[in-house]
Amino acid sequence: MDLELRNIQIRDVVMGDCNSIKDGVLTFNAEALKKVLLEDARITAVRIDLAKPGDSCRILPVKDVIEPRAKLEGDIFPGVFGNEVPEGGKGVTYVLKGCAVVTTGPIVGFQEGLIDMSGPAAEYTSFSKLNNVVLHLTKREDVDPHDHEQTIRMAGLKAAKWLGEIALECADYESEVYNWPPLGVRANQYPELPKVAYVCNCMAQGLLHDTYFYGRDAKALVPTLVSPTEYFDGAIISGNCVSPGSKTTTYHHLNNAVIKALWARHGKDLNFIGIVLNPLMVTLKEKQRDIMLTCHLVTEELGAEAAIISQEGFGNPTTDLMHVCRGLEKAGVKTVIITNEDAGPDGMSESLPDVVSEANAIVSTGNSNATVMLPKMDRILGELKEVERVTGGNVESIQADGRLLLEIHGIMGGHNLQGTNTLSATTI
């Protein structure tokens, strides 16, 4: 399976009368994009704004972040649009680097977050470095929370696809080619190097805590072998409202940092042998089933000698993380896990809700309970009052002088569990 990514670096985004990319500037017709989004009768109003690096601008509550992409042939985000489900991860994909679609508007669930384009919070999230096309979406009053989430999710994906298709006429790109041969070939490619697998835990818990694989709710899945290139084509997308700091947005899936790091070392000091997508369920039996199947896929199907596990969310997902780690370690697979810590504002509370002795190689993405005082911004895109209901905020978050007191939990991607952030920990 071969995939070519044609990356186009976008240094600025402007709204105009036409759609074009010239000298790194993306121009798009906002009224035409609005018309596409308003085809969904559940949406009553769309406002489009631009938020650029360094702006005195706050976006809240953020639901998802999506990088614009398009296929030369077929559909990006396979299984999401239309009745057919094309295979993702092969062919040619155009990517608009340096920009993103950000969805906001009245809150869906309490676990939505904030992006500041400047100031202290901007240092915690990679999204402050992007030229963001912000969609403020208002739903009909009779649309319930689950339909609301689906409405906003589809609007964001439509906009990212629509913007991405502007790139199809652009010849100024940098090409990356990814070759992912069959497992039998991969297993014998580098016999002298350790075979390393990646377990990507994804939310599949309902209650607005969902991930989609080829458009299918991950609650209907068992652990599945997935190719890295399928990630790059949007076969895995976010549909959840988990804690914004640890949420894996669609942008994170498209640019999975663990996959990129493993690929960079593939054939040099390790053999990147495969990926297991592991849905994080809610009942004990489902957890036990998925832990068993994940360990089976890593050890018996992939034959891995080492593994990396990334987490999504916090609380009971830590149990899945720890017990997959235990199962792999007992099978002789050296395992590293990536997780955040919920250690209280002073850092003195118990960091993790579950732990096993086999988890002796942990990468921390920082203490999500640490608080930051954020300055007042000139522009608010979204609904500032909603900070009182988001994770990391409360009714006392908005200060009398306009500043905002927030836990890092509330910053979108602030302690992302794929490691796409600046927070970590050190042993002293």
Side-chain angles (χ1 to χ4, degrees):
M1 183 183 290
D2 290 330
L3 175 69
E4 180 188 2
L5 296 183
R6 294 181 177 177
N7 297 315
I8 301 166
Q9 192 62 45
I10 301 299
R11 60 178 180 81
D12 196 10
V13 177
V14 297
M15 291 186 275
D17 296 328
C18 61
N19 296 333
S20 67
I21 300 173
K22 185 177 181 181
D23 298 327
V25 179
L26 169 64
T27 302
F28 72 97
N29 186 320
E31 292 304 315
L33 177 54
K34 284 183 186 179
K35 186 176 180 180
V36 169
L37 300 179
L38 287 169
E39 290 174 357
D40 188 333
R42 296 171 296 182
I43 298 175
T44 61
V46 178
R47 189 178 76 237
I48 300 177
D49 293 288
L50 301 177
K52 304 179 183 183
D55 285 357
S56 179
C57 177
R58 175 165 293 145
I59 313 168
L60 173 81
V62 174
K63 292 150 180 52
D64 199 8
V65 183
I66 312 113
E67 186 171 61
R69 298 190 176 204
K71 297 295 291 183
L72 184 61
E73 296 180 358
D75 260 339
I76 199 72
F77 310 118
V80 171
F81 302 108
N83 295 320
E84 296 185 2
V85 184
E87 183 180 2
K90 63 181 184 179
V92 177
T93 298
Y94 283 79
V95 185
L96 298 187
K97 307 301 292 185
C99 68
V101 171
V102 176
T103 48
T104 187
I107 200 165
V108 176
F110 64 92
Q111 292 177 324
E112 298 172 24
L114 165 151
I115 297 173
D116 277 1
M117 300 305 296
S118 61
E123 300 303 314
Y124 291 98
T125 176
S126 58
F127 301 139
S128 65
K129 315 300 189 297
L130 303 176
N131 292 285
N132 292 312
V133 178
V134 183
L135 309 180
H136 187 287
L137 302 157
T138 305
K139 69 173 181 71
R140 284 200 329 255
E141 290 187 4
D142 63 330
V143 174
D144 68 24
H146 287 87
D147 275 349
H148 187 184
E149 184 281 319
Q150 199 264 354
T151 300
I152 305 303
R153 172 167 27 100
M154 288 300 298
L157 295 171
K158 282 180 185 176
K161 178 177 180 288
W162 188 88
L163 289 169
E165 288 173 349
I166 299 173
L168 296 178
E169 301 299 321
C170 184
D172 185 14
Y173 57 79
E174 293 184 359
S175 177
E176 288 182 85
V177 177
Y178 292 88
N179 173 254
W180 190 249
L183 178 56
V185 176
R186 300 200 306 273
N188 294 293
Q189 270 186 319
Y190 304 102
E192 73 285 3
L193 298 178
K195 298 179 179 66
V196 180
Y198 170 40
V199 177
C200 181
N201 287 342
C202 70
M203 296 303 298
Q205 299 188 334
L207 300 174
L208 305 176
H209 289 54
D210 297 304
T211 304
Y212 293 84
F213 179 56
Y214 281 96
R216 186 176 181 84
D217 193 328
K219 290 194 298 295
L221 303 178
V222 294
T224 303
L225 292 176
V226 181
S227 78
T229 57
E230 288 175 302
Y231 276 82
F232 303 155
D233 265 354
I236 298 94
I237 60 172
S238 175
N240 67 58
C241 300
V242 302
S243 170
S246 61
K247 174 174 175 170
T248 308
T249 65
T250 299
Y251 187 99
H252 287 123
H253 284 305
L254 290 166
N255 296 278
N256 187 297
V258 178
I259 293 174
K260 293 288 185 73
L262 287 170
W263 205 299
R265 296 173 63 179
H266 178 59
K268 298 174 183 175
D269 55 2
L270 59 84
N271 181 356
F272 182 18
I273 195 65
I275 302 171
V276 177
L277 183 69
N278 177 33
L280 300 170
M281 303 293 195
V282 290
T283 70
L284 179 59
K285 187 171 184 177
E286 288 172 319
K287 286 180 181 294
Q288 290 173 334
R289 177 189 299 117
D290 287 354
I291 290 165
M292 177 273 292
L293 288 171
T294 297
C295 292
H296 170 81
L297 289 172
V298 171
T299 59
E300 302 298 326
E301 301 298 325
L302 296 176
E305 299 160 80
I308 297 174
I309 314 173
S310 66
Q311 184 176 339
E312 182 169 18
F314 64 101
N316 81 75
T318 307
T319 296
D320 304 69
L321 174 75
M322 290 295 173
H323 288 271
V324 171
C325 176
R326 167 177 279 176
L328 293 178
E329 284 281 344
K330 285 187 172 181
V333 178
K334 295 184 181 297
T335 304
V336 174
I337 63 176
I338 308 173
T339 184
N340 71 299
E341 302 176 60
D342 298 302
D346 59 0
M348 299 301 291
S349 299
E350 187 70 32
S351 294
L352 297 169
D354 198 357
V355 70
V356 296
S357 60
E358 290 82 2
N360 55 15
I362 302 176
V363 176
S364 170
T365 62
N367 178 20
S368 61
N369 297 134
T371 57
V372 287
M373 183 67 78
L374 307 178
K376 183 179 180 180
M377 293 287 167
D378 293 340
R379 283 196 302 154
I380 302 295
L381 303 181
E383 318 284 337
L384 181 62
K385 187 73 172 172
E386 301 287 22
V387 73
E388 297 179 354
R389 296 198 285 159
V390 304
T391 301
N394 56 61
V395 294
E396 297 180 347
S397 286
I398 302 174
Q399 308 296 294
D401 59 3
R403 293 182 300 163
L404 206 62
L405 183 64
L406 193 71
E407 290 185 7
I408 291 170
H409 254 320
I411 299 171
M412 187 62 67
H415 54 91
N416 174 257
L417 303 180
Q418 292 174 357
T420 310
N421 64 332
T422 57
L423 276 179
S424 188
T426 186
T427 302
I428 57 174

